[in-house]
Amino acid sequence: FNKKIREFVTAKVPNIAIVGGKEAENRTVTLRRYCLKEQVTLPFEGFVERMKKLKSERLMDNFPDVEI
């Protein structure tokens, strides 16, 4: 699993949603953003709502002044 994440990071993929064994067990999703060190772990329902809001309002959440 770590190899896949490393491949995405070296390919500069801007958004990575990680659902591993721990996340599946806890029904969470870990978001990893390119150029940001912190990872965010959200409940699955919160992740879905966040993605819907980003899409409907055409927001980019990679700027510090954007509140989601």
Side-chain angles (χ1 to χ4, degrees), residues 6-50:
R6 188 176 63 245
E7 288 174 358
F8 286 125
V9 171
T10 57
K12 299 182 181 178
V13 174
N15 300 302
I16 303 172
I18 301 169
V19 181
K22 184 171 40 171
E23 288 88 2
E25 183 179 306
N26 297 328
R27 291 195 43 83
T28 59
V29 177
T30 300
L31 293 177
R32 185 171 177 155
R33 301 292 314 255
Y34 182 72
C35 291
L36 296 178
K37 291 198 182 241
E38 77 178 52
Q39 297 181 36
V40 179
T41 301
L42 303 167
F44 180 74
E45 294 78 18
F47 170 75
V48 171
E49 290 302 317
R50 180 180 179 140

